[in-house]
Amino acid sequence: MSFLTNTSVSLDSIKEPVRDELKGFDRFFRDAMRSKVGLVDIIARYIIRQKGKRVRPLLVLLSAKACGTINESTYRGATLVEILHTATLVHDDVVDDADTRRGLASINAVWKNKVAVLMGDYLLSRGLLIALERGDHYFLHSTSNAVKRMSEGELLQIQKSRQLNLDEETYLRIIGDKTASLFSTCTDIGAASVTEDADRRNLMKKFGENVGMAFQIRDDLLDYEGRKSILGKPTGLDMKEKKLTLPLIHALQSGVRKDAKQALRIIKNGAKQKEIDWVVEFVRTAGGIEYAREKAEHFANLARHSLATLSESDSKSSLLQFVDFVMERTS
């Protein structure tokens, strides 16, 4: 999932309230990744070179600072989440046979699949040990639940993509498990690191869940209105992978029955570029794109509402800006 955008809200400005703390996190993360086994340490340093946008640690830190004072527990929580996320990416690259990750060769491309799978396992266990060594059992429970949900969501999507019979309720469950679960864990852990207030933690958890839902729906919309190919046409990546996402799901329900059947037939047989253009137009005409936009805005508003009772602060403002950032992204 890309966080590159042309939005009026920049990720850099969102980071401002925790800029110094993000530097502290980077040091903590590097130390946590170290190993006495030479190959593991080499790969760990290679992963650190692939430094992404650090969105998930950012959410942990902003959530913590919006609810209290960032401490060492917050850094451990942010590190646990980022290591967990990195482990899933390493495994995803093996499953997808991906050659690159963040502009560099993927772990499996350099060291082959066996090493990549074992490295992903190492990262997962390292993250869990960070929580166990300091008694962060709440963190462990939250992240374990996220891993469970992410795995279930991925498997359910694979099952449904084979059957091509995905409805909106199941789609929302899939994106909740695959994407929103980790966003929710970030904001939950951030709050839990600084406050014992169960209501406050629950509100922050809901914020993460809803902004994660909005994020994934917006990401799925990019297949229809963004992420253009070199020819300026939609790439249709999800359609090529036989994934039914919300714009198409709604169009199949509300569009002309003959056209809906044709769209399903195209996806089932492997869509070519001209056919993708036809499906995009079908989805647009049937109201699928507008419906998905409205659904994303619904979840964005739920996320904003979750923060209503928080005291005003720069960190709260950045969390609200993050929602805008998610909603405005175009690539």
Side-chain angles (χ1 to χ4, degrees):
M1 284 181 272
S2 171
F3 281 94
L4 298 175
T5 101
N6 299 318
T7 71
S8 58
V9 180
S10 73
L11 199 56
D12 197 55
S13 65
I14 293 170
K15 292 178 180 179
E16 192 56 41
V18 291
R19 193 167 298 282
D20 291 340
E21 288 87 346
L22 278 167
K23 293 175 183 175
F25 159 78
D26 280 338
R27 291 191 294 271
F28 205 105
F29 183 70
R30 283 197 303 272
D31 289 343
M33 293 279 280
R34 288 195 176 119
S35 171
K36 293 179 181 178
V37 177
L39 179 59
V40 176
D41 200 51
I42 289 170
I43 299 173
R45 283 188 274 119
Y46 185 79
I47 289 171
I48 290 168
R49 280 179 58 202
Q50 295 176 318
K51 183 176 178 180
K53 300 292 183 182
R54 296 290 195 251
V55 168
R56 287 156 190 84
L58 172 63
L59 286 175
V60 174
L61 294 171
L62 284 174
S63 298
K65 202 163 190 177
C67 296
T69 303
I70 288 174
N71 52 53
E72 187 174 321
S73 172
T74 312
Y75 290 123
R76 290 198 302 272
T79 299
L80 169 58
V81 167
E82 187 66 1
I83 287 179
L84 166 63
H85 177 58
T86 303
T88 63
L89 295 181
V90 172
H91 282 160
D92 284 350
D93 285 345
V94 173
V95 171
D96 298 336
D97 199 23
D99 294 327
T100 60
R101 167 67 62 182
R102 293 168 180 162
L104 294 173
S106 61
I107 305 300
N108 51 297
V110 178
W111 286 280
K112 307 305 178 187
N113 285 350
K114 184 174 182 179
V115 171
V117 170
L118 290 170
M119 189 65 192
D121 293 344
Y122 166 79
L123 291 171
L124 182 59
S125 62
R126 186 70 194 94
L128 298 178
L129 282 170
I130 289 170
L132 286 171
E133 286 165 356
R134 296 302 183 93
D136 297 320
H137 296 120
Y138 185 85
F139 294 177
L140 192 59
H141 181 273
S142 184
T143 52
S144 296
N145 185 58
V147 172
K148 170 182 170 290
R149 289 182 63 191
M150 289 161 69
S151 301
E152 287 178 338
E154 191 70 55
L155 288 166
L156 181 57
Q157 184 173 60
I158 290 170
Q159 175 190 333
K160 292 298 182 179
S161 67
R162 288 172 179 168
Q163 298 169 347
L164 286 180
N165 64 346
L166 190 60
D167 57 21
E168 181 176 334
E169 181 182 358
T170 308
Y171 164 83
L172 293 175
R173 176 184 169 188
I174 288 171
I175 68 169
D177 286 346
K178 280 188 62 179
T179 303
S181 62
L182 194 53
F183 278 74
S184 177
T185 293
C186 291
T187 51
D188 181 25
I189 282 179
S193 72
V194 299
T195 180
E196 296 289 334
D197 187 332
D199 290 338
R200 182 63 53 84
R201 290 180 179 184
N202 192 46
L203 285 173
M204 293 309 301
K205 187 175 181 178
K206 286 181 178 177
F207 169 81
E209 185 83 18
N210 285 309
V211 79
M213 295 292 286
F215 172 83
Q216 189 57 58
I217 294 171
R218 285 294 308 161
D219 195 69
D220 291 340
L221 269 166
L222 294 181
D223 224 34
Y224 296 88
E225 59 181 16
R227 203 155 35 203
K228 305 290 187 183
S229 69
I230 195 168
L231 298 175
K233 297 180 179 180
T235 57
L237 291 175
D238 289 334
M239 286 177 259
K240 290 174 182 174
E241 294 175 3
K242 300 183 181 179
K243 290 180 183 176
L244 301 187
T245 58
L246 188 57
L248 180 55
I249 290 167
H250 181 78
L252 291 174
Q253 291 295 316
S254 62
V256 176
R257 182 55 43 203
K258 176 173 66 71
D259 290 343
K261 287 182 178 179
Q262 175 68 6
L264 266 181
R265 193 177 305 114
I266 287 170
I267 292 166
K268 183 177 181 180
N269 294 333
K272 306 293 189 296
Q273 187 58 55
K274 282 187 178 180
E275 293 172 324
I276 286 172
D277 296 341
W278 183 89
V279 174
V280 168
E281 187 55 35
F282 159 69
V283 170
R284 188 184 310 280
T285 303
I289 292 173
E290 187 57 35
Y291 180 82
R293 285 179 187 153
E294 291 171 358
K295 201 73 174 180
E297 189 60 49
H298 165 73
F299 285 110
N301 285 332
L302 289 177
R304 296 181 183 108
H305 181 71
S306 296
L307 301 181
T309 59
L310 274 185
S311 300
E312 296 303 318
S313 67
D314 289 343
S315 295
K316 176 182 175 179
S317 296
S318 279
L319 288 170
L320 289 169
Q321 286 177 42
F322 183 76
V323 180
D324 296 336
F325 173 86
V326 164
M327 293 303 296
E328 293 174 14
R329 56 193 293 258
T330 58
S331 61

